[in-house]
Amino acid sequence: MNHLLSLIPPQVFGVMALVGTYCFILAYEKQNYIRRLLQNGTETEGVVVELRSHPDNAAQGQAPVVDFTFPNGSHRHYSTTFVSPSPYKVGQKVRIWYKFHKSNREATLADEVPGTLPKTLFIWGCVLCLLSYPVIVIRMLGLF
C-alpha cells in the first residue's frame, strides 16, 4: 500500500481534496438555491407561455416557461421541474421570484425543486474527499 501511494505525486491528492471540497460547496449552494431565492428575491407576477416536455423522455412530464416583467425589461424563465400532469396551463398567471445582479439572472417558481445535481455533487465530494484527505493527513504527520 505504501509503495502504491509513493507512485502517485502528492499534488494529485491535493487537487482531489480541493475539487471534492468544491463539490460540497456547490452541492450546498444548489440545494438551497430555490429557498434562498424565495426568501431574498423580488416577487412578481408572470404568465405561463409554454409547457415544455422533458427533453429525454416526454413521459417524465412538462415544465412551464414563464414570461415576466421587471423594472428594466422582461425575462423568460425556463423551469427545470418536470411534472406529469402539469399543474400549469398556458396563459395562467403565476407568482415568480427573481434576483438579477449584473449578468447573473436567477428566477424560480414556488414549487420548483433543485433536481439531482446537489445529490450528485455531494456524492462526488464524498468520494474525492474520502480518497484524498486521509493520504494528506498521513503525509503531513510523517507516517509515510
Side-chain angles (χ1 to χ4, degrees):
M1 175 72 176
N2 289 342
H3 180 66
L4 180 63
L5 288 178
S6 65
L7 295 175
I8 301 172
Q11 297 86 350
V12 170
F13 294 102
V15 170
M16 286 173 55
L18 183 66
V19 171
T21 303
Y22 190 64
C23 284
F24 281 135
I25 294 167
L26 282 176
Y28 177 82
E29 169 63 26
K30 297 298 181 187
Q31 182 66 35
N32 293 298
Y33 164 79
I34 294 168
R35 180 189 53 78
R36 180 181 46 80
L37 200 50
L38 291 172
Q39 289 176 347
N40 302 325
T42 302
E43 183 179 356
T44 191
E45 187 175 82
V47 177
V48 176
V49 294
E50 179 186 346
L51 292 175
R52 310 185 289 131
S53 294
H54 193 281
D56 295 332
N57 182 359
Q60 289 185 354
Q62 295 179 313
V65 178
V66 178
D67 278 350
F68 64 94
T69 58
F70 62 100
N72 296 336
S74 63
H75 184 74
R76 179 168 282 188
H77 170 66
Y78 294 85
S79 175
T80 56
T81 302
F82 294 89
V83 180
S84 181
S86 176
Y88 298 100
K89 304 285 182 233
V90 174
Q92 177 182 352
K93 293 182 188 249
V94 294
R95 302 306 301 165
I96 189 163
W97 288 258
Y98 69 93
K99 188 170 187 178
F100 296 163
H101 179 69
K102 298 184 181 179
S103 65
N104 188 20
R105 296 179 176 255
E106 301 175 325
T108 189
L109 298 166
D111 61 350
E112 289 195 51
V113 294
T116 60
L117 182 60
K119 183 178 179 179
T120 303
L121 288 169
F122 181 78
I123 290 169
W124 275 106
C126 286
V127 168
L128 291 171
C129 287
L130 287 173
L131 290 174
S132 60
Y133 277 111
V135 175
I136 291 171
V137 169
I138 286 170
R139 286 187 172 172
M140 285 178 62
L141 294 174
L143 299 175
F144 173 71

